[in-house]
Amino acid sequence: MKVGIISINAHTKVLNFASPLHSYAFQQFLQMNGIESVIIDYKPNYYGQFNPRHPYFYYRKHPVKNKKKQKAIEHKWLKLFLARQKRFDKFQHFIDRYYVTTDKCYNHKLLDTEDLGLDCYICATDVIWKCNKNAGFDRGFFLACDSMKGKYKIAYAASRGPVVELDKEKQQLFLEYISEFQHISVREESLGNYIESISDIKVTHVLDPVLLHEKEFYEPIIKRPGRKKGYVLLYVVMESAIPLIELAVAFAEKNGLEVIELSENMADAKIPAGTHHKVVYDIGIEEWLGYMDEAEYIFTNSFHATCFSILFHKQFFVGKRNGDKILSVMEMFGLSGRKVEDCFEGSDCIAKEIDFAPVDVLRREYMQKSSDFILSALEDAEQFVSGQKKQP
């Protein structure tokens, strides 16, 4: 049976370390269980002509309407020009080295006309079922392209991001798309509840692919910074996180630690003058894991940084983020209290250290449930392809 995976991985406007990682983790999990697959080099419909290696050139060619904002954007990406190039090249090197992928890049229109000759498609994880304000749903992430008609379809750990109320027309379209799946699993329980409230589709709640493995799985690819002094790792994504940054800085100063920041948008962060603070930008996925693993404390509003904090047994604190994806994974492992508003009084930490023994018990239970879901779904797909079983 030939299996294809569509996920968010190579084509992202933000060089999020987790995007290549979750696809790598999922494909490796399948391979470790005797299932060969190919990751489809897929460009989402909202990606446009963005230049991820040199955003400066893109924004010069496609300026925003606000001249002051445009000037700030150009200044930022010009300042980061070489560092961004290095970061992008390291991302691409990771993909080239570790992925089994298609030779050609596809979008949803191309997948209407070109059949890849695959028997089973899996759309895998992260915010793939979001209705974007301008671009709407991406049909490729719903496996709703013409070449995929009649093929076996599985959703693994699908997410829709922050909840946005859909009008009747979009809800109907969403329902039409997901009705074509033989098996659906979601990353956030809230999405599962939504699907079950508008349909009779059975949905399973599973882990993100990065948590399908123990830490030992990542050891061969981790590149540690080898720092002699301890540090607080600050990793901020997407939304503004000034309170989180301020607490991280105050906490580090009180404990005599340096602040190491790996954020994509660190140019927007307001780090107080005189802070023992270092920005590290031109790193790749393997180095990001290394900085995570050697940190004494982690301050983040990233879903995947939270996942790896749990997997690597790190004392961590989570800032505010739109949507419920971080809260969802924290609730799964009994760690809801790691929100900064629960862990700090003023700038003083009042949180107890995490005991990871009960966390690991829960994590392995979810690992088993998640593994059982995808392996059972693929077993059904194998039987369907061989003619031994009808579609459920």
Side-chain angles (χ1 to χ4, degrees):
M1 180 176 68
K2 298 177 181 179
V3 178
I5 300 168
I6 280 187
S7 59
I8 299 172
N9 46 74
H11 303 287
T12 58
K13 292 185 177 182
V14 176
L15 291 184
N16 185 329
F17 297 103
S19 294
L21 261 175
H22 62 62
S23 297
Y24 163 74
F26 188 62
Q27 186 172 57
Q28 288 295 307
F29 172 82
L30 296 183
Q31 184 176 333
M32 291 163 67
N33 285 278
I35 300 161
E36 298 300 319
S37 65
V38 61
I39 293 175
I40 299 168
D41 185 3
Y42 183 72
K43 188 177 289 188
N45 64 352
Y46 52 77
Y47 193 74
Q49 300 301 314
F50 188 74
N51 184 339
R53 192 168 189 254
H54 294 129
Y56 174 77
F57 291 145
Y58 173 81
Y59 286 111
R60 288 280 291 178
K61 191 174 181 180
H62 303 87
V64 299
K65 292 181 179 180
N66 186 307
K67 291 184 178 180
K68 185 177 180 180
K69 186 176 181 181
Q70 174 67 20
K71 186 176 180 180
I73 290 173
E74 288 185 20
H75 175 75
K76 169 186 174 179
W77 290 119
L78 186 60
K79 184 179 179 181
L80 288 173
F81 191 88
L82 290 179
R84 173 70 175 207
Q85 179 174 295
K86 290 180 181 179
R87 182 158 165 162
F88 175 85
D89 289 347
K90 288 182 177 182
F91 272 58
Q92 193 60 51
H93 175 74
F94 181 91
I95 290 169
D96 293 342
R97 181 176 182 181
Y98 294 112
Y99 280 20
V100 177
T101 185
T102 56
D103 295 329
K104 187 174 181 178
C105 179
Y106 295 86
N107 58 29
H108 65 284
K109 292 182 179 178
L110 199 54
L111 287 175
D112 278 334
T113 59
E114 293 195 21
D115 192 333
L116 302 184
L118 301 171
D119 303 303
C120 173
Y121 288 92
I122 305 172
C123 59
T125 205
D126 220 336
V127 186
I128 54 177
W129 284 0
K130 178 181 179 179
C131 185
N132 289 280
K133 184 177 180 180
N134 297 318
F137 293 118
D138 187 292
R139 289 191 293 113
F141 287 141
F142 284 89
L143 309 180
C145 300
D146 290 346
S147 67
M148 301 172 180
K149 289 180 178 178
K151 305 297 178 71
Y152 210 86
K153 300 176 183 179
I154 301 169
Y156 183 82
S159 173
R160 62 174 168 171
V163 177
V164 176
E165 292 297 325
L166 302 176
D167 59 36
K168 289 184 178 180
E169 184 178 347
K170 289 177 180 176
Q171 180 173 290
Q172 183 59 36
L173 182 60
F174 176 81
L175 189 55
E176 288 176 10
Y177 283 158
I178 65 174
S179 295
E180 296 298 317
F181 283 81
Q182 281 70 51
H183 299 275
I184 293 179
S185 64
V186 295
R187 195 176 66 179
E188 287 85 53
E189 193 170 18
S190 60
L191 176 55
N193 293 337
Y194 171 70
I195 291 173
E196 291 180 348
S197 72
I198 63 171
S199 71
D200 57 359
I201 296 172
K202 181 181 178 182
V203 179
T204 304
H205 185 204
V206 296
L207 291 176
D208 186 273
V210 301
L211 292 173
L212 288 173
H213 304 276
E214 296 289 352
K215 182 185 176 184
E216 289 72 23
F217 166 78
Y218 297 100
E219 288 290 348
I221 67 170
I222 293 177
K223 290 184 179 179
R224 296 178 175 83
R227 300 179 63 84
K228 294 181 180 179
K229 294 183 179 179
Y231 59 90
V232 168
L233 182 68
L234 178 61
Y235 183 59
V236 176
V237 297
M238 303 301 284
E239 293 86 1
S240 175
I242 299 303
L244 177 66
I245 293 168
E246 291 175 345
L247 286 174
V249 169
F251 182 85
E253 183 177 341
K254 184 174 182 179
N255 290 278
L257 300 170
E258 185 178 12
V259 176
I260 300 293
E261 185 174 3
L262 309 182
S263 308
E264 166 76 356
N265 293 318
M266 78 290 180
D268 300 329
K270 303 295 188 295
I271 300 294
T275 300
H276 192 199
H277 168 247
K278 181 179 180 181
V279 171
V280 182
Y281 188 83
D282 59 351
I283 62 172
I285 286 87
E286 301 95 329
E287 295 159 297
W288 182 73
L289 289 172
Y291 273 101
M292 292 279 294
D293 193 35
E294 289 203 346
E296 290 198 34
Y297 300 90
I298 295 174
F299 285 73
T300 189
N301 67 352
S302 156
F303 171 83
H304 284 99
T306 301
C307 290
F308 279 105
S309 296
I310 293 168
L311 187 61
F312 289 1
H313 289 185
K314 294 292 153 182
Q315 302 301 318
F316 70 95
F317 306 100
V318 173
K320 288 185 178 181
R321 183 78 186 276
N322 291 337
D324 65 341
K325 59 183 179 181
I326 299 181
L327 297 178
S328 177
V329 75
M330 290 165 68
E331 287 173 0
M332 291 173 77
F333 300 122
L335 295 171
S336 298
R338 300 310 293 186
K339 300 187 293 292
V340 293
E341 57 263 37
D342 296 331
C343 292
F344 287 85
E345 191 171 85
S347 61
D348 294 328
C349 177
I350 57 173
K352 294 180 180 178
E353 287 206 346
I354 300 169
D355 177 5
F356 281 99
V359 174
D360 283 342
V361 171
L362 291 171
R363 181 173 57 81
R364 291 186 178 113
E365 289 177 356
Y366 279 111
M367 280 177 67
Q368 187 64 56
K369 177 184 176 183
S370 303
S371 299
D372 288 347
F373 167 82
I374 188 60
L375 295 179
S376 176
L378 284 165
E379 184 178 343
D380 286 348
E382 181 80 55
Q383 292 179 7
F384 169 74
V385 170
S386 64
Q388 300 176 38
K389 188 173 184 177
K390 293 183 180 180
Q391 289 193 22

